[in-house]
Amino acid sequence: EELLNKNWTKEAKKTLSPNIMELTQSFNNMSLWIQEQILQREDEKERAQTITKIIRIIEACFRLNNLNDAIALSSGLNSSAIHRLKKTWAKVKSKDKESFQEIQKLLSSESNYKSCREHLSTLQPPCVPYPGMFLSDLVFIEDGNVDYLQKSEIINFDKRRKISDVIRKIQRFQNDLYSLEGVDFIADALLGLSIEQM
């Protein structure tokens, strides 16, 4: 139900689409946290080191097929507050900048996420796709197709089929779990952080 009728865009979105809203908030928090982590460093060298660490985390997310977090972290690096730090970026090694740019090309939102869709089609689960791409598809389908045919009570099953196809694509990635081993001291440290610290 959360994915139907553009529920995540309505006034009651927190009730109608609580998981989508939570995922969106998490994405935005991660992006803002990245910016904060870089900007709280006063020294350009420290900022460059922080950017390098973030790029390495993006690479790890990408290798794990975690496209959502790779895009969230990238959005923090691509924010105007970080992008304009020319002297800091000059201290980031070329190989790290090139790696980041390559991942950016694959995850680009250009041409309705064409490269990202192509990359996603080659992946085997487990995978965490970027939900914003699917939400855009659902909005396009909802806005571009009538519910009933020719002012009648005949349901537009073509529209329902298209919506179903998008939801099926999302579900494809919900069936397989990651088999990662927990690292207790890292988990404890992360659990001890408040949202403001993340």
Side-chain angles (χ1 to χ4, degrees):
E1 256 185 76
E2 289 194 42
L3 295 170
L4 301 177
N5 305 314
K6 299 189 300 186
N7 283 337
W8 66 93
T9 66
K10 297 183 177 173
E11 195 169 321
K13 59 189 168 193
K14 289 184 179 179
T15 305
L16 295 170
S17 295
N19 294 303
I20 293 172
M21 299 316 302
E22 180 102 11
L23 194 56
T24 302
Q25 188 61 52
S26 175
F27 182 98
N28 293 337
N29 286 346
M30 194 178 306
S31 178
L32 291 171
W33 180 75
I34 290 303
Q35 295 172 56
E36 182 182 318
Q37 292 306 303
I38 296 166
L39 294 174
Q40 72 183 6
R41 312 288 192 270
E42 293 183 22
D43 179 67
E44 287 171 2
K45 184 178 178 184
E46 286 181 17
R47 284 183 177 177
Q49 289 171 340
T50 303
I51 288 172
T52 300
K53 285 179 187 176
I54 294 164
I55 290 171
R56 302 261 167 83
I57 294 169
I58 292 168
E59 292 168 343
C61 288
F62 191 75
R63 282 191 306 275
L64 288 169
N65 297 336
N66 184 346
L67 306 185
N68 183 63
D69 287 354
I71 292 173
L73 295 167
S74 297
S75 74
L77 288 184
N78 287 324
S79 68
S80 60
I82 305 305
H83 185 71
R84 70 176 183 220
L85 299 173
K86 303 294 183 200
K87 291 179 182 177
T88 298
W89 280 100
K91 294 185 183 303
V92 176
K93 291 180 182 175
S94 295
K95 70 178 179 95
D96 293 314
K97 287 189 276 192
E98 288 168 12
S99 172
F100 178 59
Q101 289 167 353
E102 284 302 310
I103 291 172
Q104 290 298 288
K105 286 178 192 173
L106 286 171
L107 301 179
S108 171
S109 62
E110 289 182 21
S111 300
N112 194 25
Y113 296 96
K114 183 177 188 262
S115 295
C116 188
R117 289 176 196 280
E118 288 171 359
H119 179 68
L120 190 60
S121 72
T122 68
L123 298 180
Q124 291 299 315
C127 176
V128 182
Y130 173 58
M133 179 176 66
F134 297 112
L135 295 177
S136 296
D137 292 345
L138 291 169
V139 167
F140 182 77
I141 293 166
E142 287 284 353
D143 290 348
N145 297 278
V146 294
D147 288 327
Y148 298 96
L149 299 177
Q150 301 172 347
K151 298 182 183 179
S152 68
E153 292 187 23
I154 299 172
I155 296 172
N156 183 353
F157 282 104
D158 185 52
K159 176 180 179 177
R160 302 295 177 240
R161 212 172 286 114
K162 289 176 182 177
I163 291 170
S164 175
D165 287 344
V166 172
I167 293 172
R168 196 173 298 110
K169 287 176 186 174
I170 295 168
Q171 288 175 327
R172 173 180 169 232
F173 297 108
Q174 293 180 330
N175 296 328
D176 294 294
L177 301 175
Y178 285 94
S179 59
L180 302 173
E181 290 186 32
V183 181
D184 290 336
F185 79 92
I186 294 175
D188 292 342
L190 291 173
L191 290 171
L193 294 176
S194 68
I195 266 304
E196 292 77 30
Q197 292 173 298
M198 293 182 92

